[in-house]
Amino acid sequence: RDLVRSRGLGDVYKRQPDWYKQINPAGFVPTLKQGEFMVAESLVINEYINDLADTPPLFPQSAQQKALARCFIKSTDTSFVPSFYRLLKAQAKQDQAKATDKMLAALQQINEALKTSTGPYLFGVEISLADIAIYPWFERWAVLKHYRGLTIPDAMDALQKWITTMHKRDSVKSNAEEDSFYIAEYFDYASGKK
């Protein structure tokens, strides 16, 4: 149940076997198929699995905190992820500078949220779907560092600590890829080919 989603890899559709393309012709990853039921949106899959599980939920118990976690997840999908791609795809220096400023602002918001948390995770002492929704982008951070020279500022110590905490999780370690994997996968984005 400790999920880390995979999303947005460059040429993943080209490498998909024919059986996968038959299940999901659009090629979205990941896809969950259970009998005749199929869903192909990462964030929805995470919630679906969470709803089916017998173990403690991956949402905060408080209705207010749960709502805030859902807002964070939505913001990740509609703001942070597009900012990641906008920076990576920007070719002109001035566009890169603007995209860098937006990405740094997004990082600062995450850092501030972590500063107010009661534990090492975004919503306390237990990992939540909010952590799971955004962490994969930090596993891919080597891409922005390699192609755009962007590092996470040392001053964002809460964010740095959270990344370290997430990185130490067994589920993360067992599914981690080398930086070189992501750098190669995102080359077409960074070079303006996508």
Short mmCIF file of all heavy atoms in Angstrom, two decimals, residues 105-163:
data_model
loop_
_atom_site.label_atom_id
_atom_site.label_comp_id
_atom_site.label_asym_id
_atom_site.label_seq_id
_atom_site.Cartn_x
_atom_site.Cartn_y
_atom_site.Cartn_z
N ALA A 105 8.93 29.02 -6.17
CA ALA A 105 7.76 29.43 -5.37
C ALA A 105 6.96 28.19 -4.94
O ALA A 105 6.51 28.11 -3.79
CB ALA A 105 6.88 30.40 -6.15
N ALA A 106 6.80 27.24 -5.84
CA ALA A 106 6.09 26.00 -5.51
C ALA A 106 6.85 25.22 -4.44
O ALA A 106 6.25 24.68 -3.50
CB ALA A 106 5.90 25.15 -6.76
N LEU A 107 8.16 25.16 -4.57
CA LEU A 107 8.97 24.48 -3.56
C LEU A 107 8.83 25.16 -2.20
O LEU A 107 8.75 24.48 -1.17
CB LEU A 107 10.45 24.46 -3.97
CG LEU A 107 10.82 23.62 -5.17
CD1 LEU A 107 12.30 23.79 -5.49
CD2 LEU A 107 10.49 22.15 -4.94
N GLN A 108 8.80 26.48 -2.21
CA GLN A 108 8.66 27.21 -0.95
C GLN A 108 7.33 26.89 -0.27
O GLN A 108 7.27 26.75 0.95
CB GLN A 108 8.81 28.71 -1.18
CG GLN A 108 8.84 29.53 0.09
CD GLN A 108 9.97 29.13 1.04
OE1 GLN A 108 11.09 28.87 0.61
NE2 GLN A 108 9.67 29.04 2.32
N GLN A 109 6.28 26.74 -1.05
CA GLN A 109 4.98 26.39 -0.47
C GLN A 109 5.03 25.01 0.19
O GLN A 109 4.49 24.82 1.28
CB GLN A 109 3.89 26.40 -1.55
CG GLN A 109 3.50 27.79 -1.99
CD GLN A 109 2.41 27.76 -3.04
OE1 GLN A 109 2.31 26.83 -3.84
NE2 GLN A 109 1.58 28.79 -3.06
N ILE A 110 5.69 24.08 -0.45
CA ILE A 110 5.83 22.74 0.14
C ILE A 110 6.67 22.82 1.40
O ILE A 110 6.33 22.21 2.43
CB ILE A 110 6.45 21.76 -0.87
CG1 ILE A 110 5.55 21.61 -2.10
CG2 ILE A 110 6.69 20.39 -0.23
CD1 ILE A 110 6.22 20.94 -3.28
N ASN A 111 7.74 23.58 1.35
CA ASN A 111 8.60 23.74 2.53
C ASN A 111 7.82 24.33 3.70
O ASN A 111 7.95 23.85 4.84
CB ASN A 111 9.80 24.64 2.17
CG ASN A 111 10.86 24.64 3.24
OD1 ASN A 111 11.44 23.61 3.55
ND2 ASN A 111 11.10 25.81 3.81
N GLU A 112 6.99 25.33 3.43
CA GLU A 112 6.19 25.94 4.49
C GLU A 112 5.16 24.96 5.05
O GLU A 112 4.94 24.90 6.27
CB GLU A 112 5.49 27.21 3.97
CG GLU A 112 6.45 28.35 3.66
CD GLU A 112 7.31 28.76 4.85
OE1 GLU A 112 6.78 28.88 5.97
OE2 GLU A 112 8.53 28.94 4.66
N ALA A 113 4.55 24.17 4.18
CA ALA A 113 3.58 23.16 4.64
C ALA A 113 4.28 22.15 5.55
O ALA A 113 3.73 21.74 6.58
CB ALA A 113 2.94 22.45 3.46
N LEU A 114 5.48 21.76 5.20
CA LEU A 114 6.22 20.79 6.02
C LEU A 114 6.64 21.39 7.35
O LEU A 114 6.68 20.69 8.36
CB LEU A 114 7.44 20.27 5.24
CG LEU A 114 7.09 19.28 4.13
CD1 LEU A 114 8.23 19.17 3.13
CD2 LEU A 114 6.75 17.92 4.72
N LYS A 115 6.93 22.67 7.36
CA LYS A 115 7.31 23.33 8.62
C LYS A 115 6.16 23.31 9.63
O LYS A 115 6.40 23.28 10.84
CB LYS A 115 7.71 24.79 8.36
CG LYS A 115 9.09 24.97 7.83
CD LYS A 115 9.37 26.46 7.69
CE LYS A 115 10.74 26.75 7.17
NZ LYS A 115 10.97 28.20 7.06
N THR A 116 4.93 23.35 9.15
CA THR A 116 3.78 23.38 10.06
C THR A 116 3.25 21.99 10.39
O THR A 116 2.34 21.85 11.20
CB THR A 116 2.63 24.23 9.47
OG1 THR A 116 2.20 23.64 8.24
CG2 THR A 116 3.08 25.66 9.22
N SER A 117 3.82 20.96 9.75
CA SER A 117 3.37 19.59 10.00
C SER A 117 3.80 19.14 11.40
O SER A 117 4.82 19.58 11.92
CB SER A 117 3.97 18.65 8.95
OG SER A 117 3.60 17.31 9.24
N THR A 118 3.02 18.24 11.97
CA THR A 118 3.33 17.70 13.30
C THR A 118 4.25 16.47 13.22
O THR A 118 4.52 15.84 14.24
CB THR A 118 2.04 17.30 14.03
OG1 THR A 118 1.34 16.34 13.22
CG2 THR A 118 1.17 18.52 14.28
N GLY A 119 4.69 16.14 12.04
CA GLY A 119 5.56 14.97 11.88
C GLY A 119 6.45 15.11 10.67
O GLY A 119 6.50 16.17 10.04
N PRO A 120 7.12 14.05 10.30
CA PRO A 120 8.05 14.15 9.18
C PRO A 120 7.36 14.18 7.81
O PRO A 120 8.01 14.47 6.82
CB PRO A 120 8.89 12.87 9.32
CG PRO A 120 7.99 11.89 9.99
CD PRO A 120 7.13 12.72 10.92
N TYR A 121 6.05 13.89 7.79
CA TYR A 121 5.32 13.87 6.53
C TYR A 121 4.43 15.10 6.42
O TYR A 121 4.25 15.83 7.39
CB TYR A 121 4.52 12.58 6.40
CG TYR A 121 5.41 11.37 6.44
CD1 TYR A 121 5.46 10.55 7.57
CD2 TYR A 121 6.24 11.05 5.36
CE1 TYR A 121 6.31 9.45 7.62
CE2 TYR A 121 7.09 9.95 5.41
CZ TYR A 121 7.12 9.16 6.53
OH TYR A 121 7.96 8.08 6.58
N LEU A 122 3.84 15.30 5.27
CA LEU A 122 3.05 16.50 5.03
C LEU A 122 1.89 16.67 6.00
O LEU A 122 1.53 17.79 6.36
CB LEU A 122 2.52 16.51 3.59
CG LEU A 122 3.58 16.91 2.56
CD1 LEU A 122 3.18 16.43 1.17
CD2 LEU A 122 3.78 18.41 2.57
N PHE A 123 1.29 15.55 6.43
CA PHE A 123 0.14 15.66 7.31
C PHE A 123 0.35 14.90 8.62
O PHE A 123 -0.58 14.34 9.17
CB PHE A 123 -1.13 15.21 6.58
CG PHE A 123 -1.56 16.24 5.56
CD1 PHE A 123 -1.08 16.17 4.26
CD2 PHE A 123 -2.38 17.29 5.90
CE1 PHE A 123 -1.43 17.13 3.32
CE2 PHE A 123 -2.74 18.26 4.98
CZ PHE A 123 -2.26 18.17 3.69
N GLY A 124 1.57 14.90 9.10
CA GLY A 124 1.82 14.34 10.42
C GLY A 124 2.85 13.23 10.45
O GLY A 124 3.77 13.18 9.64
N VAL A 125 2.63 12.30 11.40
CA VAL A 125 3.62 11.25 11.64
C VAL A 125 3.48 10.07 10.69
O VAL A 125 4.37 9.23 10.63
CB VAL A 125 3.55 10.75 13.11
CG1 VAL A 125 3.90 11.88 14.07
CG2 VAL A 125 2.18 10.18 13.43
N GLU A 126 2.38 9.99 9.96
CA GLU A 126 2.17 8.89 9.02
C GLU A 126 2.21 9.42 7.59
O GLU A 126 1.72 10.51 7.30
CB GLU A 126 0.82 8.21 9.27
CG GLU A 126 0.68 7.60 10.65
CD GLU A 126 1.61 6.42 10.89
OE1 GLU A 126 2.00 5.75 9.90
OE2 GLU A 126 1.96 6.18 12.06
N ILE A 127 2.74 8.61 6.72
CA ILE A 127 2.73 8.96 5.30
C ILE A 127 1.29 9.04 4.81
O ILE A 127 0.42 8.34 5.31
CB ILE A 127 3.55 7.93 4.49
CG1 ILE A 127 3.81 8.45 3.07
CG2 ILE A 127 2.88 6.57 4.48
CD1 ILE A 127 4.83 7.65 2.30
N SER A 128 1.05 9.93 3.86
CA SER A 128 -0.30 10.08 3.32
C SER A 128 -0.24 10.08 1.79
O SER A 128 0.83 10.13 1.19
CB SER A 128 -0.94 11.38 3.80
OG SER A 128 -0.34 12.49 3.14
N LEU A 129 -1.41 10.05 1.19
CA LEU A 129 -1.47 10.12 -0.26
C LEU A 129 -0.90 11.43 -0.79
O LEU A 129 -0.44 11.51 -1.93
CB LEU A 129 -2.90 9.92 -0.75
CG LEU A 129 -3.46 8.51 -0.63
CD1 LEU A 129 -4.91 8.46 -1.09
CD2 LEU A 129 -2.62 7.50 -1.42
N ALA A 130 -0.88 12.47 0.03
CA ALA A 130 -0.27 13.74 -0.38
C ALA A 130 1.23 13.56 -0.58
O ALA A 130 1.79 14.04 -1.58
CB ALA A 130 -0.56 14.82 0.67
N ASP A 131 1.88 12.88 0.34
CA ASP A 131 3.32 12.61 0.19
C ASP A 131 3.57 11.75 -1.04
O ASP A 131 4.50 12.00 -1.83
CB ASP A 131 3.86 11.87 1.43
CG ASP A 131 3.67 12.64 2.71
OD1 ASP A 131 4.40 13.62 2.93
OD2 ASP A 131 2.78 12.25 3.49
N ILE A 132 2.74 10.75 -1.21
CA ILE A 132 2.88 9.81 -2.31
C ILE A 132 2.65 10.49 -3.66
O ILE A 132 3.29 10.16 -4.65
CB ILE A 132 1.93 8.61 -2.10
CG1 ILE A 132 2.41 7.80 -0.90
CG2 ILE A 132 1.83 7.74 -3.34
CD1 ILE A 132 1.40 6.82 -0.36
N ALA A 133 1.76 11.47 -3.70
CA ALA A 133 1.46 12.16 -4.95
C ALA A 133 2.63 13.00 -5.45
O ALA A 133 2.86 13.10 -6.65
CB ALA A 133 0.23 13.05 -4.77
N ILE A 134 3.39 13.57 -4.53
CA ILE A 134 4.43 14.51 -4.99
C ILE A 134 5.84 13.93 -4.96
O ILE A 134 6.71 14.36 -5.72
CB ILE A 134 4.37 15.84 -4.20
CG1 ILE A 134 5.10 16.93 -4.98
CG2 ILE A 134 4.89 15.67 -2.79
CD1 ILE A 134 4.80 18.32 -4.53
N TYR A 135 6.09 12.95 -4.14
CA TYR A 135 7.47 12.45 -4.02
C TYR A 135 8.09 12.00 -5.33
O TYR A 135 9.28 12.28 -5.57
CB TYR A 135 7.59 11.32 -2.98
CG TYR A 135 9.00 10.78 -2.98
CD1 TYR A 135 10.02 11.53 -2.41
CD2 TYR A 135 9.32 9.60 -3.64
CE1 TYR A 135 11.33 11.09 -2.46
CE2 TYR A 135 10.62 9.16 -3.71
CZ TYR A 135 11.63 9.90 -3.11
OH TYR A 135 12.93 9.47 -3.20
N PRO A 136 7.39 11.30 -6.22
CA PRO A 136 8.05 10.86 -7.46
C PRO A 136 8.70 11.99 -8.25
O PRO A 136 9.68 11.77 -8.95
CB PRO A 136 6.92 10.21 -8.25
CG PRO A 136 5.99 9.72 -7.19
CD PRO A 136 6.03 10.79 -6.13
N TRP A 137 8.19 13.19 -8.11
CA TRP A 137 8.78 14.32 -8.83
C TRP A 137 10.11 14.71 -8.21
O TRP A 137 10.97 15.26 -8.91
CB TRP A 137 7.79 15.47 -8.90
CG TRP A 137 6.59 15.00 -9.65
CD1 TRP A 137 5.40 14.55 -9.11
CD2 TRP A 137 6.50 14.78 -11.05
NE1 TRP A 137 4.59 14.09 -10.12
CE2 TRP A 137 5.23 14.22 -11.32
CE3 TRP A 137 7.36 15.01 -12.12
CZ2 TRP A 137 4.81 13.90 -12.60
CZ3 TRP A 137 6.94 14.69 -13.40
CH2 TRP A 137 5.68 14.15 -13.62
N PHE A 138 10.30 14.40 -6.95
CA PHE A 138 11.59 14.67 -6.33
C PHE A 138 12.58 13.54 -6.63
O PHE A 138 13.78 13.76 -6.66
CB PHE A 138 11.43 14.91 -4.83
CG PHE A 138 10.76 16.23 -4.56
CD1 PHE A 138 9.41 16.27 -4.25
CD2 PHE A 138 11.45 17.41 -4.68
CE1 PHE A 138 8.77 17.49 -4.05
CE2 PHE A 138 10.83 18.63 -4.49
CZ PHE A 138 9.49 18.67 -4.16
N GLU A 139 12.06 12.36 -6.88
CA GLU A 139 12.93 11.29 -7.35
C GLU A 139 13.46 11.66 -8.73
O GLU A 139 14.58 11.31 -9.10
CB GLU A 139 12.17 9.96 -7.40
CG GLU A 139 13.07 8.79 -7.73
CD GLU A 139 12.35 7.47 -7.63
OE1 GLU A 139 12.06 7.04 -6.50
OE2 GLU A 139 12.08 6.89 -8.69
N ARG A 140 12.66 12.38 -9.49
CA ARG A 140 13.06 12.82 -10.83
C ARG A 140 13.81 14.15 -10.83
O ARG A 140 14.13 14.69 -11.89
CB ARG A 140 11.82 12.97 -11.71
CG ARG A 140 11.09 11.68 -11.93
CD ARG A 140 9.79 11.92 -12.66
NE ARG A 140 9.09 10.68 -12.85
CZ ARG A 140 7.81 10.50 -12.64
NH1 ARG A 140 7.05 11.50 -12.23
NH2 ARG A 140 7.25 9.33 -12.83
N TRP A 141 14.04 14.71 -9.67
CA TRP A 141 14.63 16.05 -9.59
C TRP A 141 15.98 16.13 -10.32
O TRP A 141 16.36 17.19 -10.82
CB TRP A 141 14.80 16.50 -8.15
CG TRP A 141 15.01 17.97 -8.09
CD1 TRP A 141 16.20 18.65 -8.03
CD2 TRP A 141 13.99 18.96 -8.15
NE1 TRP A 141 15.97 20.00 -8.06
CE2 TRP A 141 14.63 20.21 -8.12
CE3 TRP A 141 12.60 18.90 -8.22
CZ2 TRP A 141 13.91 21.40 -8.16
CZ3 TRP A 141 11.89 20.09 -8.26
CH2 TRP A 141 12.55 21.33 -8.23
N ALA A 142 16.68 15.02 -10.42
CA ALA A 142 17.96 15.00 -11.13
C ALA A 142 17.82 15.53 -12.55
O ALA A 142 18.77 16.08 -13.12
CB ALA A 142 18.52 13.58 -11.15
N VAL A 143 16.63 15.40 -13.12
CA VAL A 143 16.37 15.89 -14.47
C VAL A 143 16.50 17.42 -14.51
O VAL A 143 17.17 17.97 -15.38
CB VAL A 143 14.96 15.45 -14.93
CG1 VAL A 143 14.57 16.10 -16.23
CG2 VAL A 143 14.89 13.93 -15.03
N LEU A 144 15.84 18.10 -13.56
CA LEU A 144 15.91 19.56 -13.54
C LEU A 144 17.32 20.03 -13.18
O LEU A 144 17.79 21.04 -13.70
CB LEU A 144 14.89 20.13 -12.55
CG LEU A 144 13.42 19.95 -12.94
CD1 LEU A 144 12.52 20.61 -11.92
CD2 LEU A 144 13.13 20.48 -14.34
N LYS A 145 17.96 19.30 -12.31
CA LYS A 145 19.35 19.66 -11.94
C LYS A 145 20.27 19.50 -13.15
O LYS A 145 21.08 20.38 -13.46
CB LYS A 145 19.82 18.79 -10.78
CG LYS A 145 21.19 19.14 -10.29
CD LYS A 145 21.57 18.30 -9.08
CE LYS A 145 22.96 18.67 -8.60
NZ LYS A 145 23.39 17.81 -7.49
N HIS A 146 20.14 18.39 -13.85
CA HIS A 146 21.01 18.09 -14.98
C HIS A 146 20.77 19.05 -16.15
O HIS A 146 21.72 19.59 -16.72
CB HIS A 146 20.79 16.65 -15.44
CG HIS A 146 21.61 16.24 -16.60
ND1 HIS A 146 22.94 15.87 -16.48
CD2 HIS A 146 21.31 16.16 -17.93
CE1 HIS A 146 23.42 15.58 -17.67
NE2 HIS A 146 22.45 15.74 -18.57
N TYR A 147 19.50 19.23 -16.54
CA TYR A 147 19.21 20.01 -17.74
C TYR A 147 19.04 21.51 -17.49
O TYR A 147 19.24 22.30 -18.40
CB TYR A 147 17.95 19.48 -18.42
CG TYR A 147 18.15 18.12 -19.04
CD1 TYR A 147 17.47 17.01 -18.55
CD2 TYR A 147 19.02 17.94 -20.12
CE1 TYR A 147 17.65 15.76 -19.13
CE2 TYR A 147 19.21 16.69 -20.69
CZ TYR A 147 18.52 15.61 -20.19
OH TYR A 147 18.72 14.38 -20.75
N ARG A 148 18.62 21.90 -16.29
CA ARG A 148 18.36 23.31 -16.03
C ARG A 148 19.18 23.87 -14.86
O ARG A 148 19.04 25.04 -14.51
CB ARG A 148 16.87 23.54 -15.77
CG ARG A 148 15.97 23.18 -16.94
CD ARG A 148 16.25 24.05 -18.16
NE ARG A 148 15.46 23.65 -19.31
CZ ARG A 148 15.95 23.04 -20.39
NH1 ARG A 148 17.24 22.75 -20.47
NH2 ARG A 148 15.16 22.72 -21.40
N GLY A 149 20.00 23.04 -14.24
CA GLY A 149 20.88 23.51 -13.16
C GLY A 149 20.14 23.90 -11.89
O GLY A 149 20.67 24.62 -11.06
N LEU A 150 18.92 23.42 -11.72
CA LEU A 150 18.12 23.80 -10.55
C LEU A 150 18.31 22.79 -9.42
O LEU A 150 18.05 21.60 -9.59
CB LEU A 150 16.64 23.89 -10.91
CG LEU A 150 15.73 24.38 -9.78
CD1 LEU A 150 16.11 25.78 -9.33
CD2 LEU A 150 14.27 24.34 -10.21
N THR A 151 18.76 23.29 -8.31
CA THR A 151 18.86 22.47 -7.10
C THR A 151 17.86 23.00 -6.09
O THR A 151 17.42 24.14 -6.17
CB THR A 151 20.28 22.51 -6.49
OG1 THR A 151 20.62 23.88 -6.21
CG2 THR A 151 21.32 21.92 -7.45
N ILE A 152 17.53 22.16 -5.14
CA ILE A 152 16.63 22.59 -4.07
C ILE A 152 17.46 23.40 -3.08
O ILE A 152 18.46 22.91 -2.57
CB ILE A 152 15.96 21.38 -3.41
CG1 ILE A 152 15.12 20.65 -4.45
CG2 ILE A 152 15.12 21.81 -2.22
CD1 ILE A 152 14.62 19.31 -4.03
N PRO A 153 17.07 24.64 -2.84
CA PRO A 153 17.88 25.50 -1.97
C PRO A 153 18.08 24.90 -0.58
O PRO A 153 17.16 24.32 0.01
CB PRO A 153 17.06 26.79 -1.89
CG PRO A 153 16.22 26.78 -3.14
CD PRO A 153 15.91 25.33 -3.39
N ASP A 154 19.29 25.06 -0.05
CA ASP A 154 19.60 24.57 1.29
C ASP A 154 18.69 25.18 2.35
O ASP A 154 18.40 24.55 3.36
CB ASP A 154 21.07 24.87 1.64
CG ASP A 154 22.04 24.04 0.81
OD1 ASP A 154 21.64 22.97 0.31
OD2 ASP A 154 23.19 24.48 0.65
N ALA A 155 18.26 26.41 2.10
CA ALA A 155 17.40 27.10 3.06
C ALA A 155 16.06 26.40 3.24
O ALA A 155 15.37 26.60 4.24
CB ALA A 155 17.18 28.55 2.64
N MET A 156 15.67 25.57 2.28
CA MET A 156 14.42 24.83 2.38
C MET A 156 14.68 23.54 3.14
O MET A 156 14.54 22.43 2.63
CB MET A 156 13.84 24.57 0.99
CG MET A 156 13.43 25.83 0.28
SD MET A 156 12.60 25.49 -1.28
CE MET A 156 12.43 27.14 -1.94
N ASP A 157 15.06 23.70 4.40
CA ASP A 157 15.50 22.57 5.21
C ASP A 157 14.38 21.57 5.50
O ASP A 157 14.62 20.37 5.56
CB ASP A 157 16.17 23.04 6.50
CG ASP A 157 15.30 24.00 7.30
OD1 ASP A 157 14.40 24.63 6.71
OD2 ASP A 157 15.52 24.10 8.51
N ALA A 158 13.15 22.04 5.67
CA ALA A 158 12.04 21.12 5.93
C ALA A 158 11.81 20.22 4.72
O ALA A 158 11.59 19.01 4.86
CB ALA A 158 10.78 21.89 6.28
N LEU A 159 11.90 20.80 3.54
CA LEU A 159 11.73 20.03 2.30
C LEU A 159 12.89 19.04 2.13
O LEU A 159 12.67 17.88 1.79
CB LEU A 159 11.64 20.97 1.10
CG LEU A 159 11.52 20.33 -0.27
CD1 LEU A 159 10.32 19.38 -0.35
CD2 LEU A 159 11.42 21.41 -1.35
N GLN A 160 14.10 19.49 2.41
CA GLN A 160 15.27 18.62 2.31
C GLN A 160 15.12 17.41 3.25
O GLN A 160 15.39 16.27 2.86
CB GLN A 160 16.55 19.39 2.65
CG GLN A 160 16.88 20.51 1.70
CD GLN A 160 17.66 20.06 0.49
OE1 GLN A 160 17.86 18.87 0.25
NE2 GLN A 160 18.11 21.01 -0.30
N LYS A 161 14.68 17.68 4.46
CA LYS A 161 14.51 16.62 5.45
C LYS A 161 13.42 15.64 5.01
O LYS A 161 13.57 14.42 5.15
CB LYS A 161 14.17 17.22 6.81
CG LYS A 161 14.13 16.23 7.93
CD LYS A 161 13.89 16.92 9.26
CE LYS A 161 13.80 15.91 10.38
NZ LYS A 161 13.54 16.54 11.67
N TRP A 162 12.33 16.16 4.47
CA TRP A 162 11.23 15.31 3.99
C TRP A 162 11.71 14.40 2.85
O TRP A 162 11.39 13.22 2.83
CB TRP A 162 10.06 16.19 3.54
CG TRP A 162 8.94 15.44 2.89
CD1 TRP A 162 7.93 14.76 3.52
CD2 TRP A 162 8.71 15.29 1.49
NE1 TRP A 162 7.08 14.21 2.58
CE2 TRP A 162 7.54 14.52 1.33
CE3 TRP A 162 9.37 15.76 0.35
CZ2 TRP A 162 7.02 14.20 0.08
CZ3 TRP A 162 8.86 15.43 -0.90
CH2 TRP A 162 7.69 14.65 -1.02
N ILE A 163 12.46 14.96 1.92
CA ILE A 163 12.97 14.16 0.81
C ILE A 163 13.83 13.02 1.34
O ILE A 163 13.69 11.87 0.90
CB ILE A 163 13.77 15.04 -0.19
CG1 ILE A 163 12.82 15.99 -0.91
CG2 ILE A 163 14.53 14.17 -1.19
CD1 ILE A 163 13.51 17.09 -1.70
#
